[in-house]
Amino acid sequence: MKKLLTALLTGAASLSLVACGKSNKLVIGTNAAFPPFEYKEDGNITGFDMDLIKKYGESVGKKIEIKDMDFDAALTSASTGKIDIAIAGITKNEKREKTLSFSDGYYSSNQVVVLSTTTANEIKTATETMTNDEKITYILSQLEGKKIGVQRATTGQFYVEGDADWEFDGIKDAKCNPYDNGGLAIKDLNDGKIDAVILDEAPAKNIVSKNYSTTLSILDSALTEEEYAIAVKKGNTELVNSLNEFIKTIKANGEYAKLLEKYFG
Ligand code: ARG
């Protein structure tokens, strides 16, 4: 009986493989300089996104191979099908949807402003009694003409430079300095080489609290509203559906909450 069952199961498994005509490995692209979503620890790539995608692999019985690359390369590689999946705290956006298909969102995020603690305190004092909209107007006026660091090809860069597709007006006369990753931008801010950094909230908090907790501070006001999603080659509905199914399942069965707890406490 057991033998028969095994034979049946193996048969079914290989049949479904043949039916899909696909390998049983998924190649994943990320940019592992975005803690706590993806980062390197003792030479290994780890983080919230990495755990998430490994769990997905397990759930569909496929091996996961993770490749670290520049953020823009992860997006391009997914759009050309060079990799199967890009997961890298990627903000779902209509412009990107022209070349990629996205899963449902799995994490809400936003852009924040990192400043020297001195400047941040001045702004906090000046804006204390303001409404949120007034605060943002004030902050943007303070950033006019300043040197602002961002991670290349991310929301932060589009926000500073202005981008019609993202509906960002841009920061007046600002000089945008794009870096390979947010950590490098924050380091230059700490070294006094630039005036501010605009970055996704969780990585900004993570990097500042680990290395620059006294010298740098983050303003409370969020500049954007974003949703992270998993990107695949445009039109790969089968994979998108399967990812959505997975996201729904782990949100319902508590595994998603466990991941949040592990990486955000
Ligand atoms: N959420 C931002 C974007 O999609 C930044 C993502 C950067 N991710 C990374 N792993 N470096 O543009």
Side-chain angles (χ1 to χ4, degrees):
M1 184 61 195
K2 205 172 166 197
K3 253 189 193 159
L4 180 65
L5 199 64
T6 320
L8 274 174
L9 284 175
T10 330
S14 52
L15 237 187
S16 70
L17 274 181
V18 173
C20 303
K22 281 174 192 155
S23 88
N24 80 21
K25 183 178 85 175
L26 288 168
V27 182
I28 313 294
T30 196
N31 172 249
F34 199 68
F37 293 97
E38 40 270 334
Y39 55 99
K40 286 193 193 128
E41 198 175 60
D42 312 320
N44 293 319
I45 302 175
T46 177
F48 183 94
D49 285 347
M50 302 300 100
D51 281 11
L52 187 86
I53 207 67
K54 279 180 204 155
K55 274 186 196 297
Y56 171 70
E58 282 162 25
S59 78
V60 293
K62 294 198 180 198
K63 283 209 186 77
I64 293 292
E65 182 192 337
I66 292 168
K67 290 193 171 170
D68 187 21
M69 52 186 83
D70 285 342
F71 180 71
D72 36 5
L75 297 186
T76 325
S77 304
S79 73
T80 58
K82 210 170 154 189
I83 57 174
D84 299 297
I85 289 174
I87 180 164
I90 305 168
T91 301
K92 190 174 184 166
N93 164 273
E94 270 176 38
K95 190 178 193 179
R96 288 179 175 163
E97 274 172 323
K98 288 178 188 160
T99 53
L100 293 159
S101 287
F102 282 95
S103 72
D104 293 336
Y106 64 86
Y107 188 88
S108 301
S109 172
N110 55 65
Q111 300 296 303
V112 293
V113 186
V114 191
L115 294 164
S116 75
T117 297
T118 320
T119 312
N121 284 342
E122 282 166 14
I123 291 184
K124 279 176 194 165
T125 310
T127 56
E128 224 161 22
T129 59
M130 291 184 185
T131 65
N132 201 43
D133 283 353
E134 288 168 345
K135 276 186 189 169
I136 290 178
T137 308
Y138 182 83
I139 293 164
L140 293 178
S141 76
Q142 296 303 298
L143 292 175
E144 269 182 30
K146 294 280 160 64
K147 273 188 231 158
I148 306 175
V150 297
Q151 179 176 9
R152 188 174 4 94
T154 67
T155 321
Q157 176 163 10
F158 308 137
Y159 189 88
V160 174
E161 291 180 344
D163 186 304
D165 287 309
W166 285 72
E167 292 176 20
F168 293 150
D169 298 333
I171 298 176
K172 197 159 170 274
D173 300 327
K175 189 177 174 310
C176 185
N177 285 26
Y179 292 81
D180 280 349
N181 63 62
L184 295 173
I186 290 180
K187 184 179 181 302
D188 263 11
L189 173 64
N190 197 55
D191 292 345
K193 290 182 184 153
I194 53 176
D195 304 303
V197 169
I198 293 184
L199 191 69
D200 296 52
E201 182 180 14
K205 283 188 171 160
N206 187 293
I207 296 166
V208 167
S209 71
K210 273 206 184 103
N211 309 300
Y212 313 99
S213 62
T214 54
T215 49
L216 301 181
S217 295
I218 297 170
L219 300 179
D220 292 331
S221 311
L223 302 178
T224 57
E225 276 178 33
E226 300 169 50
E227 198 62 41
Y228 292 165
I230 304 168
V232 305
K233 188 174 178 174
K234 190 167 171 70
N236 193 346
T237 343
E238 198 185 324
L239 188 49
V240 168
N241 289 343
S242 153
L243 286 164
N244 288 345
E245 199 53 46
F246 167 74
I247 293 169
K248 223 166 63 192
T249 308
I250 58 166
K251 283 199 169 171
N253 70 12
E255 286 199 58
Y256 182 85
K258 268 193 218 150
L259 272 187
L260 281 182
E261 177 63 29
K262 176 170 171 192
Y263 288 101
F264 294 90

